[in-house]
Every structure is written in C-alpha cells, then in structure tokens.
Amino acid sequence: MYPIFKHKKTSIVLIIFLGLLMWFLLCLPKPLFKDAYSIILNDKNENLLSAKIARDGQWRFPESNTLNPKFVYSILAFEDEYFFQHKGINPFSIYRAFKQNKKAGKVVSGGSTITMQLTRLIRQNQKRTYNEKFIEVIMALRVELTYSKSEILKLYSSHAPFGTNVVGVDAASWRYFGRSLSELSWAECATLAVLPNSPSIIYPGKNQEKLKRKRDKLLNKLFVLKCIDEETYLLSIQEPLPQKPFALPNKSRHLLNRALNENSAENNFQTTIDAEIQNRLLEILTKHASLLKQNEIHNACALVLDINKNEVVSYIGNTPIKDKEPHGEDVDVIISNRSTGSLLKPYLYGFMLNDGQLLPNMLVPDIPTQIAGYVPQNFDFTYDGAVPAKQALSRSLNIPAVKMLQQYTIDKFLDRLKQIGLSSMNRSADNYGLSLILGGGEAKLWDMCSAYASMARVLNHYNESKNYHISDWDKPHYLLNTESKQFIKQSNAPLLSASSIWLTFEAMAEVGRPDIDASWQRLGNAQKIAWKTGTSFGFRDGWAIGISGNYVVGVWVGNADGEGRPGLTGISAAAPILFEIFGSLPKSNWFKMPVNDLKTVEVCKQSGCLASQYCNDVKKERIPKNSIVSITCSYHKPIHVDASEQYRVTDACVSPLDMKTISWFVLPPVQEYYFKTKNPMYKSLPPYKLGCAPEIEKSMEMIYPKAGTVIYIPYELSGEQGKTVFEIAHRNPSNSVFWHIDGVLVGTTKDIHQLGLNPTKGKHILSLSDNTGETLNIPFEVVSEKK
C-alpha cells in the first residue's frame, strides 16, 4: 500500500545489518593487548638470564612462542575440554552455567570457553553481566575466525592472571617454580593450570590446601582421560606445592640494561651468552669478590668473547655480590672508561713490528729517564740498562715502553689505536703525552677485548685462507643472529699483519715476571695463553686480558668510584681470576705460525738488531715478511788491542803490526752501568795501555740530572732543606771523579759515583772531570729556595 515505507524499513534493516557486520569485523582491537611487558634476557638456548618487571609492576613476560604439552593438556582438561571441537563458544557449557546460576540466584559459573576468557582479558575484565557475556560470545567468534587454535592458546596463556602480580604462564613458571615452563613436571603444570580460575584467592603461598585439592583433582582427571599413567599420577600428587614466589634470575643484569638502552623498542632479547659458562663465571667472581672485599675492593667484571664467532660468551658487568651499602655495583664497568695501565703495550709492540721499526729481540734502553719533565719508573723501581723488546713486553717494563713510544711517536700510535676500535682515545697527542703507554689514557674493557679478538681473528683467518677480511675487525655482538658491522676502515695493507700479531702473542705468552705465583697459572687448563696485566696510577684499576686460540677473556678489578687500594694490581687481583676463568672454558689449541707471512733474517745474538759485519755471534730470526727493516747493529764496534787483548792501543803508541783488531759489544755508559748488574757475563771495554789513551774518549754519562733539568729540593720534617742525589755512570768506576758547581769543588767520588748536593736557587753548571782528564758539563736549575 505504501511501498516507499516498505523500502525504508528494508534499508534500515540493511543498515543495521551492515553496522553489526562492521562491528563484528572490527570488534577486535589492534593490538589485542596494550599492556606493558617485562624485559627479559635469554641465553642462546632460551634459558632466562635476567628479567626486569613491567612498568605497571606486573611480571608479564612477552607472549609465548611455545607451550609445554603437559600444560596444554592440563589447561584444556581444567578449563575447556572441548576447545578443539567448538568455534569459540560451547552452547552446552553456557546452558549448564545458566541453569547453575539460576538455581543459585547468583553467578556461580560462567560457562566460558578459553576463547571467551581470552576476549574477557582483551576487554580488561569488565563486570560480569549477561550483556557483557553476549559481547564476549560475539568477539570469541571473531577471534576464532582470525587466529588458529594454537595461537589462541598461546595468547590466553600469555595474558591470563596467575596470582599476585604474575601474568602469563611463562612468568608464573619462573616465579613459582624457578624454572622455565618447558622443564616443569605434570604436577607443576597442573598447579599452574588451576590458578587463572581464581587468581586472587588461590596461588602458591595462599590457601595451600585448596590449591592442592584443585591440583590433585585435575591430576585425577588427567589420569581418567589417560593423559598420564597411574604411576605418574601417584607420584604427581605427592609433589609438594611451592610455598612462596621465587626471585627471578639476575645473572646478567648489566647486559639486560645495555640491551635495553641500545634497543629500546625490544622487550625480549635472545643473546649469544652460554648460561653454563655464565654461571661458572658468576661463581668465580663471587668467590674472588669475597676475598677482595677484605681489602675494601668492591667491584669486578669479566667478559668472554668467542674469537671465531665474534660473539659474547659471558658478560658480567660488575660484582654479583651486593652489600648492604651500595658500592657502585650497578655500574657496567665493561663499557666504562678506565685508566688502561700497561694494556696498550702489546699494541705498540705489534705496530712497531708491523712497520719495521722494531725486531723482537732488539735492545731497548731501560735507564733512568726524564723527558720534558716526565719521569717514568718501572714498577719495581729498578733498571736493566738495556733489555730485548720481547722481554720488555713480557715483563711489562715501563721505561722501554716509553722509549719505544717516543720513537714511534704519540700521534701515530694514537691514530692506530682509534683505527683498531679504541674510540675513547679522543684527546690530542699533546694532552696524553708519553704517559699514554702507561695508563695516561682511558679505554673500555669491551673495546680492548674486541681489539685483541680482532687480532686473533685476523691470525686465524689468514692461516685458513692466506687473506685478510674486513669483517675480522668487526665489534663483537651479544644478540643472537645479529652482527654489529662496525668495521674498521682498512687500507690495502692491514693495520696489523698476521705475522706481527703472531709475534706479539708469542711475546705475551712468554711471561717472565718475578712476582708471579705459578700455582694459579696452572688453573689456565694447561694451555698456552697470551696475556697482559695492567695497573693504573694510584692502584685504582687492576686489569688482565688473555687470548687463547678460541677465546678472549678480560677481567677488571677495582672500585667503581675510583678509590685506590694498596695491593690493587693487575697481577695480584685480576690475573688469578683470568686464569681460573680460562680453566673453566673448553681447552683451545694455540695459534698456528703464519709461515707465508714471515721471513727469516740474520740478527745479532746480543743486540737483536740486523747483523752487521762486526757481529761475531749471529742467529736466524723470523720477522714480518712485508716489514722494511733497516735497524743494523751499532753496538758491536771494532777496537784495537795489543797481542794479549788486555789493553786497547792506538797507532800513537803501538805499531799497527803489533795491533789486533777485534769486535766488541759496547753499550753507552749509563746503559752499561745498569746492564752489568743484571748481566755478569758482560765485558766492559779493556782499558787503554798506559800512554795510549786518545784525547777524546767518552767514559762518563750523566744519570741525574740531565742537561736542562729543573730541580725542586724539598724541606725535611726537621725544617732543614733536603739534598738531591746527583749520579753519573763511568765505564771505569775505579777512576776518581771531581765534582764542581759553578767552578767550586763540592766533592770527589770513586767506585760509586753519587753525591748528595744542596745547591742554591738559580741556574748552575755542574762540571765533572776524572783522573784521565775527561770532562762533562751539565747545566741545571734549582727552583726551591733556602730559608
């Protein structure tokens, strides 16, 4: 009768239908959950290392990828036995719940499937009403259309409440049983399965008897359903319930914080860490930390790198023990800048070998040294006069290292350090000065271990392929299936050749330190290890870094606030930890010699330089193939002696026919003075035969003060001004030496040429002469003033 109205009615119905259809299609939020998640750090095998609670104070792990089949059987048997048969709703369950609620006069059963419970969680547990139940039914149908049954189970298990502040089955497994879900028994999985039903009333530590009855009832149902056999059932009901939540693992908290800082959008980190090795290192550091604490040394860290995989195997950023009073344990020392001590010496040795400025056994001066006011000292305050470079490195002598850096130049060395990845070396060469080689600069344990690992990788890969790879200088990575790709820019010639690296490692492996207790070296698993220690000025930092064929291990010991402690040295505090760690690692084979990158040369056996025509005793030595070396021995000199070879002579007193010309190993006077004390086989030059001495023969050399030295003479406690000890070296100590200051005789010495003097303020000239007529003039200045 009125077709237009009929048409309108149809349109309204269509609009409503389309509206409901759109609501149905769009009823699921994206993402389903906007909750904050806990940050978790796993090892390479997905074992939990550390975790950080979510921002809302809940232990809510990221969504599960896998579920323990025992838990799946348990949760389905308890919550939704027909889960795989229905499409989101179970009409029979809803009808049964309706009858139970009507009979009780209140809501006593929900009749919800797991899918419906998931939608309730998505809607953040709205108040239970029939209207809300209708919405849950519709959304459950939509969930079933969107997700597979397996995905629905994982979503529900990851977001269901498990009592207190625990959300999700993974978090619950660790909180209540201290293990991952995959490791739980039938009884433990059944316990977790019954918790989401009433998480605020029953959970481990609350209403234990009710919890046990519910768990055992579920276990009985699993037995009836033939999910478990009778023996498993009987054993399972005997298992005790957890009494309270466990603390979550905290085995690598510093790496967790670092991962979060460097990857802020992530919340689930799988690392390259090996949990077994991490646990062993924690035990080692905990043991040593307890001992170090007795000397008020509160912090230590350790890092282990797999050389060939370029991965972090273990990462302990600070002492695992936390005192009642904080001592900087939260500082990640692995990535903190600290004074390097002597750790840079091997790099310098390697660079100089690579560039042809050094030979392994070439003599380097080890004498009292003052350079522009800088006065380096060896750790034991002694001098060898001259020492082979290889031995100077293995003994970690300071003065030879300073002399070598002076020769190599600070600018060049600093540039090379930056190129191998020591990024914190960011000041100028003038600012660092020569003290750079003795700890005047700062670096991270991370960067130094990375550089040593890169060196080892270069050597290993060269031995395999006879080629160099840019990836060898990549920084290590700690996240699984990632690479840092922080390559060091390389020229056609590598920064360090395989041969210079091998020679450096060989020197580092031949440690000959007099203060080493060999007992803890044996802890290194009886394997060859290249290692280096370092101690910063003021005993603030103790370092030890070691390299084997497969691993680099780095250890730092000290106080995070920089407080120094007596006895805090690399050799006594860090090295024992280093070798115990190596003893806990799989044994490695030593590096193969890179034969194709080495050449053989003849060197002087005494000086270590290329043999000259005057070197009587020579030997063959391997050096880097591509190094251009022109360091010929200058220590062996021809001298003329009489027929007895007891006296030197000249043609002024002996006929050339009666002379013999022989080669003699001659050190400069100061080097000779100290060298003789450590090398009794050293022979000084024979004296000249009476009447044969030349007019000019340098036998004296000033030890202190050097020409141009500025001297400050302090006052003693008595109020009197002290004295400064002046000292010279003389080839013939028995000669008398006469000391004059500004022309005034102030003393005479014989045998031991030292004299305590107290000159007035101002500039002076020290004049020395011996009984042969040799003279020496040294200008110096005194800046202190007599009272």
Side-chain angles (χ1 to χ4, degrees):
M1 185 174 178
Y2 300 101
I4 186 169
F5 292 105
K6 186 176 180 181
H7 179 70
K8 282 184 178 181
K9 185 176 180 180
T10 304
S11 299
I12 291 171
V13 171
L14 182 61
I15 291 170
I16 292 172
F17 173 76
L18 290 174
L20 290 172
L21 179 62
M22 287 296 294
W23 176 82
F24 176 75
L25 294 174
L26 302 175
C27 66
L28 297 181
K30 291 185 179 181
L32 292 180
F33 297 94
K34 297 180 180 180
D35 300 317
Y37 292 102
S38 302
I39 312 299
I40 64 172
L41 189 83
N42 293 319
D43 83 334
K44 64 180 183 179
N45 297 316
E46 297 190 354
N47 297 307
L48 183 65
L49 294 171
S50 291
K52 181 177 287 189
I53 200 166
R55 292 191 305 272
D56 59 0
Q58 302 293 307
W59 284 112
R60 184 188 298 107
F61 282 15
E63 293 175 359
S64 302
N65 292 322
T66 58
L67 293 174
N68 185 336
K70 298 172 187 174
F71 175 76
V72 172
Y73 281 114
S74 299
I75 195 71
L76 293 182
F78 186 77
E79 292 282 3
D80 194 349
E81 193 174 338
Y82 300 100
F83 175 74
F84 284 101
Q85 281 73 49
H86 63 66
K87 296 299 180 182
I89 58 174
N90 187 338
F92 299 102
S93 296
I94 293 176
Y95 176 71
R96 185 187 67 249
F98 176 77
K99 286 182 65 177
Q100 290 175 346
N101 294 338
K102 185 176 181 181
K103 183 177 181 180
K106 60 180 180 179
V107 177
V108 294
S109 177
S112 297
T113 62
I114 284 179
T115 310
M116 292 172 65
Q117 291 183 55
L118 175 61
T119 62
R120 181 169 175 77
L121 293 172
I122 293 172
R123 289 181 56 76
Q124 299 182 340
N125 291 315
Q126 297 287 334
K127 187 177 180 180
R128 291 188 175 187
T129 63
Y130 287 111
N131 184 55
E132 180 63 26
K133 182 65 68 176
F134 173 75
I135 295 174
E136 289 176 9
V137 167
I138 300 301
M139 289 183 66
L141 294 173
R142 184 69 182 90
V143 167
E144 290 279 345
L145 289 174
T146 307
Y147 298 97
S148 68
K149 289 290 187 178
S150 176
E151 290 173 326
I152 294 170
L153 265 178
K154 292 174 186 177
L155 283 168
Y156 172 73
S157 299
S158 297
H159 293 277
F162 283 81
T164 64
N165 64 339
V166 180
V167 177
V169 68
D170 285 324
S173 176
W174 280 103
R175 284 291 279 164
Y176 296 136
F177 297 104
R179 303 194 305 282
S180 66
L181 181 62
S182 63
E183 299 175 276
L184 299 190
S185 66
W186 278 104
E188 291 165 336
C189 286
T191 302
L192 294 181
V194 302
L195 296 181
N197 183 255
S198 50
S200 62
I201 300 173
I202 299 174
Y203 54 83
K206 184 177 182 180
N207 290 323
Q208 294 288 86
E209 291 183 5
K210 289 184 179 180
L211 176 58
K212 188 176 188 309
R213 285 197 299 270
K214 291 182 74 171
R215 182 202 69 176
D216 293 349
K217 184 178 179 181
L218 174 56
L219 287 168
N220 180 259
K221 186 174 182 179
L222 290 169
F223 171 59
V224 171
L225 292 172
K226 297 185 179 180
C227 296
I228 59 177
D229 57 29
E230 183 178 7
E231 182 182 7
T232 302
Y233 166 66
L234 294 174
L235 290 173
S236 296
I237 61 176
Q238 297 301 318
E239 285 191 28
L241 291 171
Q243 299 300 308
K244 61 180 181 179
F246 285 82
L248 267 70
N250 198 17
K251 299 174 182 177
S252 194
R253 56 196 173 96
H254 299 94
L255 185 57
L256 173 63
N257 291 331
R258 177 177 178 179
L260 187 58
N261 290 335
E262 296 177 356
N263 307 270
S264 57
E266 299 293 328
N267 52 37
N268 190 350
F269 300 101
Q270 186 173 6
T271 68
T272 58
I273 300 293
D274 185 312
E276 289 187 13
I277 294 177
Q278 182 81 356
N279 289 336
R280 289 201 292 267
L281 259 68
L282 281 169
E283 292 176 5
I284 292 170
L285 244 66
T286 300
K287 178 181 70 176
H288 284 273
S290 299
L291 299 173
L292 293 166
K293 195 173 153 186
Q294 297 173 17
N295 189 25
E296 295 296 324
I297 301 172
H298 298 286
N299 306 106
C301 69
L303 178 67
V304 179
L305 303 179
D306 185 306
I307 291 170
N308 295 315
K309 293 180 180 179
N310 199 21
E311 294 178 346
V312 178
V313 176
S314 180
Y315 189 112
I316 301 174
N318 208 320
T319 310
I321 297 175
K322 222 172 183 182
D323 294 330
K324 292 180 181 178
E325 293 184 11
H327 290 284
E329 293 91 348
D330 291 331
V331 176
D332 187 348
V333 188
I334 288 176
I335 54 174
S336 299
N337 284 323
R338 307 290 303 195
S339 171
T340 59
S342 297
L343 286 181
L344 303 183
K345 291 176 183 175
Y347 300 135
L348 177 61
Y349 181 84
F351 291 145
M352 294 185 74
L353 284 175
N354 189 80
D355 297 354
Q357 292 183 253
L358 190 72
L359 293 170
N361 289 294
M362 188 178 83
L363 289 179
V364 183
D366 183 23
I367 57 176
T369 300
Q370 182 174 358
I371 305 171
Y374 176 56
V375 184
Q377 296 281 351
N378 289 328
F379 189 79
D380 59 2
F381 299 103
T382 64
Y383 309 97
D384 279 26
V387 62
K390 184 178 181 180
Q391 189 183 125
L393 175 60
S394 65
R395 291 173 55 195
S396 196
L397 297 176
N398 292 337
I399 293 172
V402 170
K403 292 283 190 181
M404 289 164 61
L405 180 58
Q406 186 181 28
Q407 176 189 344
Y408 193 70
T409 74
I410 306 169
D411 282 295
K412 188 176 180 181
F413 184 53
L414 195 57
D415 183 58
R416 290 291 182 90
L417 290 177
K418 292 176 183 176
Q419 289 183 57
I420 64 172
L422 271 62
S423 57
S424 56
M425 297 289 178
N426 52 18
R427 306 202 310 264
S428 68
D430 290 339
N431 188 286
Y432 284 117
L434 291 169
S435 67
L436 173 63
I437 197 65
L438 304 183
E442 293 185 335
K444 302 176 180 69
L445 183 65
W446 175 263
D447 288 341
M448 287 190 288
C449 288
S450 171
Y452 279 117
S454 293
M455 291 167 65
R457 205 159 38 251
V458 167
L459 181 53
N460 284 339
H461 287 168
Y462 180 85
N463 282 326
E464 292 171 2
S465 64
K466 306 300 182 287
N467 289 313
Y468 296 101
H469 309 276
I470 188 172
S471 59
D472 289 341
W473 291 94
D474 189 7
K475 292 281 188 180
H477 58 276
Y478 58 85
L479 295 179
L480 200 64
N481 301 319
T482 62
E483 293 182 4
S484 65
K485 296 184 179 179
Q486 299 176 26
F487 300 138
I488 306 297
K489 188 177 180 181
Q490 298 278 303
S491 59
N492 292 332
L495 284 172
L496 282 167
S497 64
S499 53
S500 60
I501 293 170
W502 182 78
L503 289 168
T504 300
F505 286 173
E506 284 288 312
M508 294 170 68
E510 295 181 11
V511 175
R513 297 281 293 274
D515 50 349
I516 288 176
D517 178 2
S519 62
W520 51 257
Q521 283 193 66
R522 290 193 291 270
L523 293 172
N525 206 3
Q527 58 185 317
K528 191 172 181 179
I529 297 168
W531 61 290
K532 185 74 189 73
T533 60
T535 304
S536 66
F537 178 77
F539 303 102
R540 293 181 175 89
D541 306 271
W543 302 84
I545 294 181
I547 309 103
S548 68
N550 293 334
Y551 299 101
V552 169
V553 176
V555 175
W556 173 91
V557 173
N559 286 310
D561 61 4
E563 179 188 356
R565 296 298 304 166
L568 173 51
T569 66
I571 197 71
S572 64
I577 301 174
L578 176 87
F579 277 88
E580 193 165 346
I581 289 174
F582 268 115
S584 72
L585 296 173
K587 189 174 181 179
S588 302
N589 293 322
W590 185 242
F591 301 97
K592 295 179 181 177
M593 181 193 300
V595 177
N596 293 335
D597 198 44
L598 289 162
K599 62 183 177 183
T600 303
V601 295
E602 281 193 345
V603 299
C604 173
K605 198 169 183 179
Q606 287 178 284
S607 71
C609 301
L610 294 178
S612 72
Q613 59 180 318
Y614 301 112
C615 294
N616 298 325
D617 196 0
V618 299
K619 66 175 183 178
K620 294 188 181 297
E621 187 168 75
R622 292 184 177 91
I623 65 171
K625 181 179 180 179
N626 295 321
S627 63
I628 302 173
V629 184
S630 58
I631 310 167
T632 304
C633 178
S634 59
Y635 295 94
H636 279 92
K637 303 177 186 295
I639 64 170
H640 304 299
V641 295
D642 63 5
S644 69
E645 298 187 5
Q646 293 182 357
Y647 297 98
R648 283 183 289 167
V649 294
T650 67
D651 57 4
C653 61
V654 175
S655 168
L657 297 176
D658 296 327
M659 292 181 188
K660 293 177 67 175
T661 301
I662 61 174
S663 177
W664 204 276
F665 179 67
V666 184
L667 290 170
V670 174
Q671 292 186 35
E672 180 183 277
Y673 175 74
Y674 290 102
F675 190 81
K676 287 192 297 185
T677 64
K678 302 290 181 70
N679 299 271
M681 300 302 292
Y682 177 81
K683 294 181 179 180
S684 298
L685 281 168
Y688 276 99
K689 195 170 185 178
L690 189 62
C692 287
E695 292 184 4
I696 301 175
E697 169 72 7
K698 186 179 179 183
S699 297
M700 291 191 297
E701 187 176 351
M702 202 72 204
I703 296 176
Y704 183 83
K706 298 291 187 183
T709 298
V710 177
I711 302 172
Y712 176 80
I713 304 177
Y715 287 91
E716 306 288 354
L717 293 175
S718 63
E720 297 181 358
Q721 193 172 33
K723 292 184 178 182
T724 296
V725 177
F726 287 54
E727 184 176 13
I728 66 164
H730 202 296
R731 289 194 191 279
N732 303 302
S734 59
N735 285 8
S736 296
V737 176
F738 305 95
W739 301 65
H740 298 77
I741 292 183
D742 301 329
V744 177
L745 180 65
V746 294
T748 303
T749 58
K750 188 176 182 179
D751 296 324
I752 299 175
H753 298 292
Q754 296 178 346
L755 200 63
L757 298 173
N758 182 8
T760 59
K761 181 181 179 182
K763 295 182 178 181
H764 302 278
I765 298 292
L766 172 66
S767 299
L768 304 168
S769 59
D770 66 3
N771 51 7
T772 68
E774 182 180 350
T775 61
L776 193 64
N777 295 308
I778 305 294
F780 67 95
E781 182 180 359
V782 176
V783 295
S784 56
E785 188 172 1
K786 287 188 176 182
K787 290 185 178 179

